[in-house]
Amino acid sequence: MTYPHLLEPLDLGFTTLKNRVLMGSMHTGLEDGRKHFDRMAEYFAERARGEVGLIVTGGYAPNIEGWAKPFAGTLATSGAARRHSVVTKAVHAEGGKIALQILHTGRYGYQPFCVAPSRIQSPISPFTPRELSERGIERQIRAFIRCAKLAREAGYDGVEVMGSEGYFINQFLVSATNQRTDGWGGNYANRMRLAIEILTRMREAVGPDFIIIYRLSMLDLIPNGSSWDEVLELARGVVKAGATLINTGIGWHEARIPTIATSVPRAGFAWVTQKLRSQLRAEGIMTPLITSNRINSPEVAEGVLADGSADMVSMARPFLADPEFVKKARQGRADEINTCIACNQACLDHAFEQKIASCLVNPRAAHEQEIRVIPLAASKQARKKIAVVGAGPAGLAASTTLAERGHEVHLFDSAAVIGGQFNMARQIPGKEEFSETLRYFARRLEITGVQLHLNRRVAAPDLMGFDEVLLATGVTPRNPRIPGQDEGAARGQVLSYIDVLLHKKPVGQTVALIGAGGIGFDVAEYLAEPGAEQGHSLTKDAPAWRREWGIGDPVESRAGLVRPLPASPARSIYLLQRKAGKLGAGLGKTTGWIHRAALKMKAVQMLAGVNYEAITPEGLWVSYGKERIDRQLLACDTIVLCAGQEPLRELEAPLKAAGRSVHLLGGAQEAGELDAKRAILQGTRLGCSL
Ligand code: FAD
Ligand code: NAP
Ligand code: SF4
């Protein structure tokens, strides 16, 4: 397939972008501090080489008040601008273009100097902002202008002014956070004055031949957010003030509706950009509009451009997953793209945990200097014959990396398909994207020449003729040994999560799930979702998804909020854990709340501090706390064991006994805290080192 709309250049008058792809701003942590400029240069240069039309950096504060956290990346001096020039030069050397995002976080700042239009604390920061005086507002405006001028001095092709997602400028726009009574509050003209003043004065300061992108919040998804008329008025004002491009944003960070998680349908918000674009076009406003959120394949991107939803597509995480996304699409190699599965596990979750971001499916992202795939010829190493046992994420990452470097690699799996546990993960409603990782690895095995042996359960003697043996045999479910469990299993009343997800064993109308880790939550979502077991409702249609989360037409309902109307659950479910405290505490920082909210909508009963006393034909007997009080029968037809896992490494001992050294990786090495992020990272690192 070719992508005529996606690959079409975009003429901005004073400059031309080579295609319609914007790499959206992402905080990787490389922005903070002074020491990462070389690393950042390599990270962005790789994306420029991959032919992205315009890159936007992570957010830089224009001053201390705008910091996202203490000592966050700031561009406020010529000295800082000089340090940035290593990045702009590296991108330009690869034929790319790059804009700096100016991010003033306002009351979202996780730091004591934060400021806002009014003294109203946000639900996502412990710091109450200082209310700005009029002079204080003027100081912030000047900081924005200075930052844009310094960006130009540093060699950037433009700036993106962050005006959405609930940050500083957005806080002025909305009466929920702007309760001022002076010329910066009250009516909408006053509330949007800050945005207009910044853009007008910025355009004057940087001249006509510098890209200014304004990131405009189209759909706040918070109570008392902007109305559609206000969004339109702002868009008109922004264009008049000199914006080159409008990038459209969805949802404030405090909104309780998922906007980018894997359960959001692909291109799930492009319809809002389309609404805005058609209205502006009808008024003769031709400024290009950029759409974003859950666009992760060239087909989807091409679709939203072809149907007139937008003039350009912003993708952020997909460029962590694959820096060559655009190049592969242009060369007819879209099937080789490593697709972002929107898990957030190594990107956003890392940002919130103050770690450098990376990518679950591509651990080299933002770690290019550290993880290098060096061909054997270049390192003068001998070619080895290597066996990799287990074609789960760890084995796939290791074998393809080893083969890419030039080793002879044989990959064995006892199953008929590659993927290991990912074949269960992709059954979960909202995790369909995990299939893309398997598609990617299947193609990669072909390209790198790994010799794949499926339906081959190997034993130690099979592995004697190899120079190196890697055991990536994964895990086996933990047996919680509840009294009566074996009898229940014989009756078909007790199942493992593998019986449910892989073997599709029948499940009754009332179910108790033993264990509330990632898998317990996933199985609960799978069993609660009508039709999931038949596999036909796995891809939720976008209108149904919007109804479920309460997303309405912003023309009819302010900020796009309506009453959520979740579908009735397929069955009654108890989700249980032994420890006290909130269920799902160990789930991802940026996605755990979504899983909890989804299960609440499906009326799943979450019980903590439970002791499993016995399983009888009537159901599961539980008691509570150390004292084992309140013994109670949970009358359920089926009990599903999701009680964690143990490493499966039965081949290790016989191989060692035969004098062979083995490398353990993924679940085979350590099952505790195992996830695909660790499995792929370990596989890749080992693949680079042998
Ligand atoms: P596995 O995936 O377990 O693969 C091991 C492979 O080895 C299997 O294919 C097996 O057939 C093969 N094998 C074993 N013994 C032999 C032998 N003797 N000979 C040949 N082959 C053998 N992780 C996340 O990060 N995010 C998620 O959202 C997520 N969701 C999940 C949802 C579900 C429902 C499940 C079950 C898991 C989920 N995981 C998730 C966990 C993730 O899938 C695992 O951490 C990951 O698959 C572990 O990779 P691995 O390569 O170590 O092992
Ligand atoms: P897990 O997260 O370790 O959870 C295991 C659950 O079983 C816990 O709730 C634990 O809670 C319970 N448990 C442990 N030992 C038990 C016992 N002897 N008897 C009864 N209950 C017991 O493991 P998992 O759910 O199997 O997931 C495996 C890995 O896959 C995880 O590390 C996870 O990161 C990954 N995964 C991630 C996602 C994701 O969305 N990111 C989704 C699925 C899986 P108590 O001890 O309190 O009972
Ligand atoms: Fe996408 Fe997950 Fe990688 Fe983040 S970690 S870029 S969400 S695949």
Side-chain angles (χ1 to χ4, degrees), residues 182-203:
D182 58 9
W184 301 94
N187 62 40
Y188 192 63
N190 282 353
R191 280 185 273 133
M192 68 181 245
R193 206 175 129 204
L194 179 76
I196 303 304
E197 195 91 354
I198 288 173
L199 288 178
T200 310
R201 287 164 61 178
M202 189 177 282
R203 177 54 78 202

Side-chain angles (χ1 to χ4, degrees), residues 220-243:
D220 291 337
L221 299 176
I222 55 151
N224 289 324
S226 293
S227 70
W228 189 246
D229 284 343
E230 290 168 350
V231 169
L232 283 172
E233 200 177 327
L234 178 64
R236 292 182 199 113
V238 156
V239 169
K240 211 165 143 210

Side-chain angles (χ1 to χ4, degrees), residues 7 52 66 175 283 302 461 486 625 633:
L7 301 175
V52 61
S175 60
E283 297 176 18
E302 176 69 16
D486 292 343
L633 173 70

